[in-house]
Amino acid sequence: MNYILISPYYPGNFQSFAHRLKDAGVNVLGIGEEPYDQLGSELQNALTEYYRVNNLENVDEVKRAVAFLFYKHGPIDRIESNNEYWLELDAQLREQFNVYGNKTNDLKKVKYKSEMKKLFKKADVPVVDGRIVKTKKELSKAIDELGLPVIAKPDNGVGSAATFKLSSEEAVRHFEEEWGEAQVYFLEPYVEGGVLCTFDGLVDQKGNIVFQTSFTYNVPTLELVKGQLDLAYVIQKEIDPKLETYGKAIVKAFGMKERFFHIEFFKIETGDYVALEYNNRLAGGYTIDMYNFAYSIDLFAQYASLVTGGEFKESDAENQFCVGVTQRDAYEYKHDTNAIYERFGDRVKFEQRMPDAFAELQGNQFYAINADSHEEVDDIIRFVHERKNSSIANV
């Protein structure tokens, strides 16, 4: 099997895809921007061949790279990055070279917020009604119909980038100046008091869910970025049955195969859920590592098994919580890395400086710490986030 991995070097924790694919007997071929020497010996050894391009944004250049690898190694069986930023590039390449997986037309339902809403409704999952706006006149009409506050997101956008919370007429005017009708936006009512949570997992080649999990944020991502707040999110030991029912219905409606998925919800005050977004890829940052720590599993290896026609093997170990918690360089905290290890010992599974690309959203120093109970989860978050000036601590 010939598997082209787009951007095998970045992000660093995704390099394990190359290692596990090779372990499964796959011929792994890399295309990326980094010089070969920068890859390091472990990644170099996992790749049968690496083709460096000057710019992955240059589709023609990347197509020439694929054509070369096709000529040298034979037909390509998979082209994948597992990275949201390159989903459209992946799809274009699959279409050009007739490779298994999502093509450009398949991405419409997972790239456009407005299209997602249609499938959420088809799955009979609660949503908040939204409006597409292309002009300031349409924006004004949408706000009249929906009322303030609303969330304004690019209809085709990645994560929380270029997202605005419009709570006042002044905020609307500011958004109009920033926007300038340069792209299509999607407006939906702001869900007051909603707790951001997810239904995540992996589907096999038949579209069956073989792995599922859920995590919950301490604050929504928009507030997290705007206020530069302290982040904590928690991989859950168990999934709320109602959330599981909604999540499975959505996965069925979207009909994806051999892919990770990451579906965002708000849990509202009534205890029900509102579907927000379907992401046709892994959650970002170190979340896949946290899945592995919480469930004593190696999802990189399990993914490689699925790709090669094998089965998914669940762990026999008991599930745990895994807390992803960060500190920001801008603040002074009471407890540094040494103190955190001293307090939590071998429950600290991972600590790492965050890449600059994730730091504004998530913070600068990341810890993944396992816990057995909600009380332990709360203790971890309090301890790591406690600041020297406790009156400004944000837990």
Side-chain angles (χ1 to χ4, degrees):
M1 170 180 274
N2 289 323
Y3 187 116
I4 290 181
L5 198 54
I6 301 296
S7 186
Y9 179 79
Y10 184 86
N13 61 321
F14 279 22
Q15 292 180 22
S16 292
F17 280 115
H19 301 150
R20 300 300 183 269
L21 285 164
K22 182 187 179 184
D23 291 344
V26 175
N27 195 38
V28 188
L29 309 167
I31 299 176
E33 297 176 358
E34 293 79 15
Y36 182 72
D37 290 344
Q38 187 177 331
L39 302 184
S41 59
E42 289 189 10
L43 183 55
Q44 289 172 352
N45 291 335
L47 300 174
T48 300
E49 184 153 357
Y50 178 70
Y51 192 110
R52 180 176 181 257
V53 294
N54 292 316
N55 186 359
L56 282 172
E57 305 272 5
N58 185 331
V59 178
D60 288 338
E61 185 182 13
V62 179
K63 285 181 178 179
R64 287 194 293 271
V66 175
F68 173 82
L69 294 172
F70 188 114
Y71 172 78
K72 185 171 181 180
H73 297 276
I76 305 301
D77 299 285
R78 298 289 189 277
I79 298 175
E80 184 60 74
S81 65
N82 282 311
N83 187 332
E84 181 166 33
Y85 191 82
W86 302 117
L87 287 183
E88 290 177 293
L89 173 63
D90 297 342
Q92 288 181 59
L93 296 173
R94 293 189 200 105
E95 193 158 18
Q96 175 80 26
F97 294 93
N98 193 29
V99 174
Y100 174 91
N102 291 334
K103 309 301 193 294
T104 300
N105 285 341
D106 298 319
L107 291 190
K108 184 178 180 182
K109 59 188 175 185
V110 297
K111 292 294 290 181
Y112 291 89
K113 311 292 190 298
S114 52
E115 295 298 321
M116 293 177 194
K117 293 280 186 181
K118 296 175 185 177
L119 285 172
F120 292 155
K121 291 179 178 179
K122 179 182 177 182
D124 200 24
V125 174
V127 296
V128 290
D129 287 327
R131 303 286 188 277
I132 291 176
V133 296
K134 300 177 181 178
T135 65
K136 292 179 181 179
K137 184 176 180 180
E138 291 177 351
L139 173 68
S140 179
K141 181 180 179 182
I143 290 174
D144 286 342
E145 293 174 351
L146 298 173
L148 295 176
V150 296
I151 295 293
K153 310 174 183 177
D155 192 32
N156 179 9
V158 175
S160 60
T163 297
F164 297 80
K165 179 181 178 182
L166 309 181
S167 303
S168 64
E169 290 299 327
E170 181 181 359
V172 173
R173 300 289 85 78
H174 173 72
F175 168 68
E176 287 180 338
E177 292 176 7
E178 292 281 328
W179 172 39
E181 300 181 352
Q183 63 186 127
V184 178
Y185 259 75
F186 188 77
L187 262 63
E188 60 187 17
Y190 179 74
V191 179
E192 296 286 355
V195 175
L196 186 60
C197 59
T198 74
F199 180 74
D200 298 354
L202 175 65
V203 293
D204 64 15
Q205 292 173 353
K206 296 181 180 179
N208 300 313
I209 298 174
V210 293
F211 172 78
Q212 61 184 36
T213 182
S214 174
F215 65 83
T216 303
Y217 282 99
N218 62 333
V219 289
T221 50
L222 183 60
E223 280 80 353
L224 187 71
V225 176
K226 301 298 183 186
Q228 289 294 279
L229 305 178
D230 288 326
L231 166 70
Y233 66 106
V234 184
I235 309 296
Q236 301 295 312
K237 287 173 68 172
E238 299 176 347
I239 304 174
D240 181 341
K242 179 176 284 189
L243 177 62
E244 181 179 355
T245 297
Y246 286 157
K248 286 181 173 179
I250 289 172
V251 169
K252 183 177 180 180
F254 276 77
M256 295 300 177
K257 298 177 181 178
E258 198 185 279
R259 293 207 64 83
F260 289 96
F261 60 86
H262 167 58
I263 310 172
E264 296 179 351
F265 293 82
F266 267 137
K267 184 175 184 179
I268 57 179
E269 293 174 347
T270 63
D272 205 355
Y273 295 86
V274 175
L276 299 176
E277 291 187 21
Y278 180 102
N279 297 282
N280 203 35
R281 44 83 183 173
L282 278 162
Y286 298 114
T287 308
I288 187 170
D289 305 281
M290 292 174 61
Y291 299 154
N292 289 337
F293 298 137
Y295 300 118
S296 301
I297 201 170
D298 185 337
L299 282 170
F300 300 105
Q302 297 301 327
Y303 171 80
S305 177
L306 288 184
V307 168
T308 54
E311 295 183 354
F312 187 95
K313 297 177 182 178
E314 295 184 7
S315 170
D316 294 329
E318 183 179 353
N319 293 350
Q320 291 182 288
F321 295 100
C322 187
V323 185
V325 58
T326 65
Q327 295 177 338
R328 294 185 184 273
D329 290 349
Y331 309 130
E332 288 190 278
Y333 297 89
K334 277 193 175 181
H335 309 294
D336 62 8
T337 296
N338 289 335
I340 290 168
Y341 270 104
E342 185 176 339
R343 175 68 175 268
F344 300 110
D346 60 7
R347 287 193 285 162
V348 182
K349 299 299 179 182
F350 181 79
E351 66 89 11
Q352 187 68 262
R353 291 291 295 177
M354 294 290 287
D356 291 342
F358 301 139
E360 182 182 7
L361 171 60
Q362 296 190 340
N364 303 97
Q365 179 67 27
F366 176 88
Y367 302 92
I369 307 175
N370 274 16
D372 291 316
S373 67
H374 288 288
E375 291 75 20
E376 289 181 0
V377 167
D378 293 340
D379 181 48
I380 290 166
I381 296 171
R382 276 194 303 267
F383 189 85
V384 176
H385 282 170
E386 189 175 3
R387 298 185 192 168
K388 289 185 176 180
N389 180 354
S390 60
S391 65
I392 63 169
N394 186 319
V395 177

